[in-house]
Amino acid sequence: MSVIEEERVRGGVFKDINPEDEDQQPTVIESLCMNCYENGSTRLLFTKIPFFKEIIISSFTCPHCNWTNTEIQSAGRIQEQGVLYTLQVKTKEDMNREVVKSDSASTRIPQLDFEIPAFTQKGSLSTIEGLLDRAVAGLEQDQPIRKATDPAVAEKIEEFIERLKKLKKVEEEFTLIIDDPSGNSFIENPSAPQKDTALTVTHYKRTPEHNAVLGIETEEEEDDRKPVNDLDTMRNEVLVFNTNCPECNAPANTNMKLVQIPHFKEVIIMATNCDSCRHRTNEVKSGGATEELGTRITLHLTDPSDMSRDLLKSETCSVLIPELEFELGMAALGGKFTTLEGLLKDIKDLIVSKNPFMCGDSSTADRAGKLELFGQKIDKIIAGEMDVHVILDDPAGNSYLQNVYAPDPDPEMKIEKYTRTFEQNEDLGLNDMKTEGYAEK
């Protein structure tokens, strides 16, 4: 185990960004300058920022030729799914959106047929304008040589650079696409906690080619254990398997159990506890198949006792509170088996407490005030001081909200079944799924 891994387990290397922490000093090492080949110094800072996990910030300075270089590298774990961000840039305010772009992310602008492939640039924490400036600087770097050796190519690139500069001034609308199979990139939503109408976030399963590029082993491990076919045994047994903590990467155990939810179906509940950093997490997976119809559950909150209702939110379920103009996408928070109060507290933590744009240089008085007001409204809902509706919209039909009047109908809860759209089937991967016709001729 390396020194960084040992310190990571003890929680001694990667610390939260805190300008008042005097102990959070960078590590300085002597390194070779690739510009003049003299010795310079590299400063390394191991830190954490929300939504980007653990990162290594490195800054090189050469005292001989004054050359400098700054990079950001992800030191956290590769996420379970890749992520695709599609942003419609319409105003100059969109250029100020903050962006975390990892090494493995590719950037595309379809209107210009322009692409920055993965692993051609180092990871960066910037803005949309900063991404365009970086692209322009990369194209301009070798222009003097091109003008001397190939004027025709240099002229075409010059025209392309001018088009990029016009996009920076937002003289025309364009689409920015960031595709990161590692799942460690991020684009800011300045309208938080409201839904961002200009930004679409799609999570997807990596292909074997993506895994190979990221250096993830895909070899199938042989398993000589006897498969478990007795469901009664599984219902009464807690399965334990070894894993790593998602926070500190220390060895931990994950407990898994098959649970029957009354008046609903069976689900698989997984819980991980880390003895090193005390991090605790739980996740819920549906034990059944995708339903033929989607489910939309609408609950009118009329009493504080509604907060104790059991709730199952699958990974494909989105949460809406119309009175707050709030929508939580299906990928956020993952699958959860909790109470309505627990879900609202998790939403508040995600939007307010764990929002990276609520602290440091990223914070503005207007944005912080808006999010603080949203947190106060969530507290009022939990206390029963606001009359709102909570909507669970699950196109897979695998989410559940307890009916306290069961088996009689709940007067304050409405359950609707609906036919999924083509786009919803596409998100669930059902359009390309073939489940019959495999019999040998």
Side-chain angles (χ1 to χ4, degrees), residues 37-200:
Y37 299 103
E38 297 287 344
N39 284 339
S41 59
T42 299
R43 297 175 181 269
L44 299 176
L45 181 63
F46 305 90
T47 187
K48 301 177 184 177
I49 56 176
F51 299 106
F52 198 41
K53 305 299 180 184
E54 299 165 340
I55 63 168
I56 301 175
I57 303 175
S58 64
S59 175
F60 175 81
T61 304
C62 178
H64 303 281
C65 66
N66 296 323
W67 188 67
T68 61
N69 184 33
T70 303
E71 296 177 5
I72 291 181
Q73 297 180 1
S74 174
R77 296 167 57 84
I78 294 176
Q79 304 304 305
E80 293 185 2
Q81 292 182 313
V83 64
L84 176 70
Y85 289 92
T86 304
L87 175 65
Q88 301 296 330
V89 181
K90 301 178 180 179
T91 65
K92 290 186 177 180
E93 286 73 19
D94 288 329
M95 303 302 293
N96 295 325
R97 290 176 183 249
E98 298 197 28
V99 179
V100 174
K101 177 183 173 298
S102 71
D103 296 5
S104 57
S106 62
T107 306
R108 300 199 307 272
I109 301 178
Q111 287 81 357
L112 298 185
D113 197 19
F114 174 69
E115 178 176 0
I116 303 175
F119 299 105
T120 57
Q121 290 183 349
K122 296 297 183 180
S124 62
L125 174 59
S126 181
T127 61
I128 304 296
E129 183 178 2
L131 287 180
L132 295 181
D133 284 337
R134 194 174 183 183
V136 170
L139 292 173
E140 288 180 338
Q141 183 176 0
D142 296 327
Q143 275 297 84
I145 298 177
R146 293 192 192 99
K147 290 179 180 179
T149 58
D150 197 337
V153 173
E155 184 178 354
K156 291 181 180 179
I157 293 180
E158 193 67 35
E159 293 176 358
F160 192 84
I161 292 174
E162 291 302 319
R163 294 183 66 186
L164 279 177
K165 290 181 178 180
K166 287 182 179 180
L167 290 187
K168 195 173 70 170
K169 297 177 182 178
V170 198
E171 295 183 2
E172 59 180 281
E173 296 182 7
F174 67 95
T175 304
L176 177 70
I177 301 174
I178 295 182
D179 187 354
D180 187 0
S182 75
N184 282 328
S185 293
F186 180 79
I187 294 182
E188 176 194 5
N189 172 12
S191 304
Q194 278 75 37
K195 181 180 179 180
D196 192 338
T197 57
L199 180 65
T200 303

Side-chain angles (χ1 to χ4, degrees), residues 309-322:
R309 291 179 185 246
D310 289 334
L311 179 146
L312 171 67
K313 176 194 172 298
S314 76
E315 292 180 321
T316 57
C317 179
S318 58
V319 182
L320 298 89
I321 306 177

Side-chain angles (χ1 to χ4, degrees), residues 228-260:
V228 180
N229 294 320
D230 189 353
L231 290 178
D232 292 332
T233 302
M234 292 185 65
R235 291 189 184 97
N236 299 324
E237 182 181 359
V238 177
L239 303 179
V240 182
F241 54 92
N242 297 327
T243 184
N244 289 76
C245 173
E247 277 296 316
C248 68
N249 205 33
N253 290 328
T254 294
N255 300 326
M256 182 174 69
K257 192 176 191 302
L258 189 64
V259 177
Q260 173 68 46

Side-chain angles (χ1 to χ4, degrees), residues 288-309:
T290 301
E291 299 293 327
E292 293 185 2
L293 298 174
T295 302
R296 184 181 294 107
I297 305 172
T298 304
L299 175 65
H300 182 203
L301 300 182
T302 58
D303 192 88
S305 62
D306 288 330
M307 292 296 108
S308 61
R309 291 179 185 246

